[in-house]
Amino acid sequence: MTYKVFITTVTMLITSNFLAAAELVEGQTCPVTFKNEPIGSLILSKPWYHSSRSNAHYIASDNATGIGIEIHLKNNFSGQVDGLNLADCDRFRLLQIRRTTAKLLPGEKNIQIDVPDQFINPFYDSAPLEHGYGLHQTPIDDSDKPWQGRPYRDSAVALYDTPYVSDSWGIEGQDIEVKFETCAVCERESQFDTVLSCGHWGYRRDYMGGMTGWSEPEFTGFQCSGSPSPSFQQTLNHSNRIEYSYWIHWR
């Protein structure tokens, strides 16, 4: 009997530790407003570190090249947009801008909408990028996540991003800096979209010189803003990769 109690206790401890590791660990919450009225929150998770999308941990290892983060938009109505909907949204989306000092692929710009070239819309919550809606499981690929399996998350819309810059893409003598601005978007079928509140985040790898190359990533922190920055708006308005303007309906 004592043996069975011991086994049960150990099993409960292991299960409890696994669930704790799989839960959303919040790093920053940014209020989302429309016409100065709160309509939800943009929740940015605690960042983790990985080596080119493997060996992910909340503490950076010596060979880490990038970070990971999950961002959830939780509106005030449990993810629903029908019924009481102050902003009159048909759907909530996430739109992200990336700025980098690393080398660029042909056709890329140092600041651009953070989606692949073949995308027909600018939103990050589209396949094959990792995202989710409502009550959903985290992405299938857990090799670049600090958890195992597919724990559940609950949000109107979410993204899971694991950017990295390997040493071969650094510019000799310069630090590698990567910055993101992630904004909540109120998408409307028969009206213009509205870009709502935003969260800023990013990381840097200091140039160490010699055989060392660049240091492991250092997370540069979170910052909330009630509206998109001027550079965010300019990037949308002048993008030649995907037609999208702040006040012009992209469809």
Side-chain angles (χ1 to χ4, degrees):
M1 185 66 179
T2 303
Y3 178 75
K4 289 183 177 180
V5 171
F6 173 76
I7 293 297
T8 302
T9 302
V10 171
T11 302
M12 289 177 65
L13 287 173
I14 292 174
T15 303
S16 176
N17 287 336
F18 174 76
L19 289 174
E23 290 177 354
L24 172 61
V25 183
E26 295 185 15
Q28 177 76 41
T29 298
C30 299
V32 176
T33 60
F34 178 74
K35 295 184 177 179
N36 297 321
E37 293 291 335
I39 62 171
S41 301
L42 200 61
I43 300 173
L44 295 82
S45 74
K46 177 181 177 180
W48 63 87
Y49 302 86
H50 58 94
S51 178
S52 301
R53 300 204 171 106
S54 65
N55 194 31
H57 299 284
Y58 282 111
I59 298 176
S61 61
D62 290 339
N63 62 347
T65 58
I67 68 169
I69 193 172
E70 49 182 308
I71 300 178
H72 297 264
L73 170 60
K74 293 192 175 185
N75 68 341
N76 290 345
F77 312 108
S78 301
Q80 302 301 312
V81 292
D82 54 350
L84 181 60
N85 185 347
L86 179 65
D88 195 25
C89 309
D90 291 301
R91 191 179 183 187
F92 287 107
R93 310 298 298 267
L94 292 173
L95 200 161
Q96 184 165 279
I97 297 297
R98 184 206 69 187
R99 181 195 300 270
T100 182
T101 61
K103 295 176 184 176
L104 303 172
L105 291 170
E108 286 190 324
K109 295 182 179 180
N110 70 314
I111 178 169
Q112 63 180 41
I113 299 173
D114 190 28
V115 293
D117 277 334
Q118 68 269 22
F119 268 35
I120 61 173
N121 71 63
F123 305 116
Y124 197 99
D125 53 293
S126 302
L129 298 177
E130 295 182 328
H131 65 284
Y133 301 108
L135 181 63
H136 65 277
Q137 288 181 283
T138 58
I140 295 175
D141 183 9
D142 62 4
S143 61
D144 56 1
K145 314 296 190 300
W147 61 79
Q148 292 182 330
R150 303 188 66 192
Y152 280 91
R153 301 285 191 257
D154 191 8
S155 52
V157 59
L159 66 80
Y160 301 82
D161 198 3
T162 51
Y164 71 93
V165 179
S166 59
D167 287 14
S168 60
W169 288 92
I171 298 175
E172 194 74 20
Q174 296 184 25
D175 297 338
I176 298 172
E177 289 189 287
V178 186
K179 298 180 180 179
F180 298 90
E181 183 175 356
T182 309
C183 296
V185 175
C186 172
E187 187 180 38
R188 304 183 181 94
E189 293 299 330
S190 58
Q191 304 175 55
F192 294 150
D193 297 344
T194 300
V195 182
L196 304 168
S197 305
C198 306
H200 302 254
W201 56 282
Y203 66 97
R204 64 180 291 145
R205 299 187 61 198
D206 294 330
Y207 180 70
M208 307 297 286
M211 298 295 292
T212 305
W214 287 265
S215 67
E216 66 274 10
E218 178 184 356
F219 184 66
T220 53
F222 296 115
Q223 182 181 356
C224 302
S225 61
S227 60
S229 68
S231 61
F232 188 99
Q233 298 180 45
Q234 291 170 10
T235 302
L236 298 188
N237 291 336
H238 298 103
S239 173
N240 56 9
R241 299 170 70 243
I242 297 173
E243 293 184 6
Y244 188 96
S245 185
Y246 191 2
W247 294 112
I248 300 176
H249 200 285
W250 72 273
R251 288 174 297 277

